[in-house]
């Protein structure tokens, strides 16, 4: 199967057909109709075989994750997903693999009404790049630099399970069979917090998605906003699977430094705290206050009201150079 047949068969057909797409897949460029009532948020993320997923990983999960990580970036800016392009490099044409990969992409795309409007298909080592665009509010912006000393720090969902799942796959721990599917699902099929992001945009002061671990990602908010933070480790939302598998100290460390949860970490002022909590409760979105920002220039942690040192950082590419 050649390049154009492949594009036609696996990528050109989709159920999402947005009115604001004038021209989708098939021409030299896609054409979208700008909307003066919104700003457009744009993000790109690449997944490389052997770095972000095992070469032989389930192709449906790879497709899901390639889009999910981009949607998670849109979520962190409070944007509503709209359009995406897909650049894929494949070692060979494997029809079964492509069928499942595209199903993984399109299932999630359909759920969030994001349309694939173009891309590029090339031969080489397996790698997937999605560029996603979303609509965001003209007057309410959410970014990393809006946080102030005194604001409260929150996370959505539970943290650390993706890293726990990875440890299981690497043979470093053994997940009990009752927890295995749930935890591995969190690693392979992360659910981007798109709705939460839109609510946080209305009330919050800053947000980031947790891709590299709480310490590292909170660090980005702190440096962008010029604040410090204290995290109350007793309050970290850990899953039953986590607590059943690891002793508390290790669980906490994994939750702080393990990446790929794709939950949102956000901050909110004392004034807007109740408003945001109410909005999240009404939407059925789990959220937990894990600490507070301050005027220092570092991140500290306390456990049982005692200061405690956390030695390891989140994941960084090139950190071994
Ligand atoms: P060009 O050579 O003009 O850059 P291509 O031959 O790369 O165009 O692609 C033909 C059309 O198919 C374009 O509209 C492009 O956006 C689209 N396309 C190519 N690869 C993909 C893909 N993986 N997913 C979606 N659309 C794709
Ligand atoms: Mg091309």
């Amino acid at each position: 199967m050649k390049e154009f047949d492949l594009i036609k068969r696996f990528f050109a057909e989709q159920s999402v057909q947005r009115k604001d797409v004038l021209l989708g897949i098939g021409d030299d460029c896609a054409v979208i109709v700008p909307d003066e009532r919104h700003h457009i948020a744009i993000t790109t993320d690449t997944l490389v075989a052997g770095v972000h997923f095992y070469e032989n990983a389930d192709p449906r999960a790879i497709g899901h994750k390639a889009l999910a990580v981009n949607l998670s970036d849109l979520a962190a800016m409070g944007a509503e997903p709209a359009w995406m392009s897909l650049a894929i490099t494949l070692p060979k044409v494997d029809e079964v693999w492509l069928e499942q990969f595209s199903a993984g992409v399109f299932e999630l795309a359909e759920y969030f009404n994001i349309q694939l409007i173009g891309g590029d298909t090339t031969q080489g080592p397996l790698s997937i790049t999605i560029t996603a665009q979303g609509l965001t509010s003209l007057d309410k912006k959410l970014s990393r630099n809006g946080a102030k000393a005194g604001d409260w720090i929150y996370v959505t969902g539970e943290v650390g399970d993706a890293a726990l799942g990875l440890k299981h796959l690497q043979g470093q721990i053994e997940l009990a069979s009752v927890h295995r599917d749930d935890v591995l699902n969190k690693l392979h099929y992360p659910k981007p917090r798109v709705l939460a992001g839109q609510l946080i945009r209305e009330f919050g002061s800053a947000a980031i998605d947790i891709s590299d671990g709480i310490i590292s990602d909170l660090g980005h908010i702190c440096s962008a906003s010029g604040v410090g933070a204290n995290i109350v480790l007793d309050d970290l939302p850990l899953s039953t699977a986590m607590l059943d598998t690891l002793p508390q100290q290790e669980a906490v460390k994994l939750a702080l430094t393990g990446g790929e949860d794709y939950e949102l970490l956000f901050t909110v002022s004392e004034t807007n705290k109740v408003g945001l909590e109410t909005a999240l409760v009404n939407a059925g979105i789990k959220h937990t206050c894990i600490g507070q920002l301050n005027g220092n220039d570092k991140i500290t942690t306390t456990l049982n009201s005692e200061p405690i040192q956390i030695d390891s950082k989140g994941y960084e590419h090139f950190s071994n150079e």
Side-chain angles (χ1 to χ4, degrees), residues 3-4 7 11 24-28 86 88 116-121:
E3 182 185 338
F4 298 110
I7 296 166
F11 298 116
I25 294 171
D27 218 306
D28 290 311
L86 165 68
I88 185 163
L116 182 64
I117 57 171
D120 199 23
T121 304

Coordinates of all heavy atoms in Angstrom, one line a residue, residues 3-4 7 11 24-28 86 88 116-121, ligand 1:
E3 N 1.6 5.6 0.0 CA 1.3 6.7 0.9 C -0.1 7.2 0.7 O -0.8 7.4 1.7 CB 2.3 7.8 0.6 CG 2.2 9.1 1.5 CD 3.2 10.2 1.0 OE1 4.2 9.9 0.4 OE2 2.9 11.4 1.4
F4 N -0.6 7.5 -0.5 CA -1.9 8.2 -0.7 C -3.0 7.2 -0.3 O -4.0 7.6 0.2 CB -2.0 8.8 -2.1 CG -1.0 9.8 -2.3 CD1 0.1 9.6 -3.2 CD2 -1.0 11.0 -1.6 CE1 1.1 10.6 -3.4 CE2 0.0 12.0 -1.7 CZ 1.0 11.8 -2.6
I7 N -3.2 7.1 3.5 CA -3.9 8.3 4.0 C -5.4 8.1 3.9 O -6.2 8.4 4.8 CB -3.4 9.5 3.4 CG1 -1.9 9.7 3.7 CG2 -4.2 10.8 3.8 CD1 -1.2 10.8 2.8
F11 N -6.9 7.6 7.4 CA -7.0 8.9 8.1 C -8.0 9.8 7.5 O -8.4 10.8 8.2 CB -5.6 9.5 8.1 CG -4.6 8.8 8.9 CD1 -3.5 8.2 8.3 CD2 -4.8 8.5 10.2 CE1 -2.6 7.4 9.0 CE2 -3.9 7.8 11.0 CZ -2.8 7.2 10.3
G24 N -10.5 20.2 4.5 CA -9.8 19.3 5.4 C -8.7 18.6 4.6 O -8.0 19.2 3.8
I25 N -8.6 17.3 4.9 CA -7.5 16.5 4.3 C -7.7 16.4 2.8 O -8.8 16.3 2.3 CB -7.6 15.0 4.9 CG1 -7.3 15.1 6.4 CG2 -6.7 14.1 4.1 CD1 -7.5 13.8 7.1
G26 N -6.6 16.5 2.1 CA -6.6 16.2 0.6 C -6.0 17.3 -0.2 O -5.6 17.1 -1.4
D27 N -5.9 18.5 0.3 CA -5.2 19.6 -0.5 C -3.8 19.9 0.1 O -3.4 19.2 1.0 CB -6.1 20.8 -0.6 CG -6.1 21.5 -1.9 OD1 -5.0 21.8 -2.4 OD2 -7.1 21.7 -2.5
D28 N -3.2 20.9 -0.4 CA -1.8 21.2 0.1 C -1.9 21.8 1.5 O -1.0 21.6 2.3 CB -1.1 22.2 -0.8 CG -0.8 21.5 -2.1 OD1 -0.2 20.5 -2.1 OD2 -1.1 22.1 -3.2
L86 N -1.8 15.5 11.9 CA -1.1 14.3 12.4 C 0.1 14.0 11.5 O -0.1 13.7 10.3 CB -2.1 13.1 12.4 CG -1.5 11.7 12.4 CD1 -0.8 11.4 13.8 CD2 -2.5 10.6 12.2
I88 N 3.0 11.3 10.9 CA 3.3 10.0 11.3 C 4.5 9.4 10.5 O 4.4 9.6 9.3 CB 2.1 9.1 11.3 CG1 2.4 7.7 12.0 CG2 1.5 8.9 10.0 CD1 1.2 6.9 12.4
L116 N -9.6 15.9 12.4 CA -8.3 15.8 11.8 C -8.3 16.5 10.4 O -9.1 16.1 9.5 CB -7.9 14.3 11.6 CG -6.6 14.0 11.0 CD1 -5.4 14.4 11.8 CD2 -6.4 12.5 10.7
I117 N -7.5 17.5 10.2 CA -7.6 18.3 9.0 C -6.4 18.2 8.1 O -6.4 18.8 7.0 CB -7.9 19.8 9.4 CG1 -6.8 20.4 10.3 CG2 -9.2 20.0 10.0 CD1 -6.8 21.9 10.4
G118 N -5.4 17.4 8.5 CA -4.3 17.2 7.6 C -3.1 16.5 8.3 O -3.3 16.1 9.5
G119 N -2.0 16.4 7.6 CA -0.9 15.8 8.3 C 0.2 15.5 7.3 O 0.3 16.0 6.2
D120 N 1.1 14.5 7.6 CA 2.1 14.1 6.8 C 2.4 12.6 7.1 O 2.3 12.2 8.3 CB 3.4 15.0 7.0 CG 4.3 14.9 5.9 OD1 3.9 14.6 4.7 OD2 5.5 15.2 6.1
T121 N 2.7 11.9 6.1 CA 3.0 10.4 6.3 C 4.3 10.1 5.6 O 4.5 10.4 4.4 CB 1.9 9.6 5.6 OG1 0.6 10.0 6.2 CG2 2.1 8.1 5.9
Ligands
LIG1 P1 2.0 17.5 0.3 O1 2.9 16.6 -0.4 O2 1.3 18.5 -0.6 O3 2.5 18.0 1.6 P2 0.9 15.1 1.3 O4 1.1 14.3 0.1 O5 1.9 15.0 2.4 O6 0.8 16.6 0.8 O7 -0.5 14.8 1.9 C1 -1.7 14.8 1.1 C2 -2.9 15.2 1.9 O8 -3.1 14.3 2.9 C3 -2.7 16.6 2.6 O9 -3.9 17.2 2.7 C4 -2.2 16.2 4.0 O10 -2.6 17.2 4.9 C5 -3.0 14.9 4.2 N1 -2.3 13.9 5.1 C6 -1.1 13.4 4.9 N2 -0.8 12.5 5.9 C7 -1.8 12.5 6.8 C8 -2.1 11.9 8.0 N3 -1.2 11.0 8.6 N4 -3.2 12.2 8.6 C9 -4.1 13.1 8.1 N5 -3.9 13.7 6.9 C10 -2.7 13.5 6.2

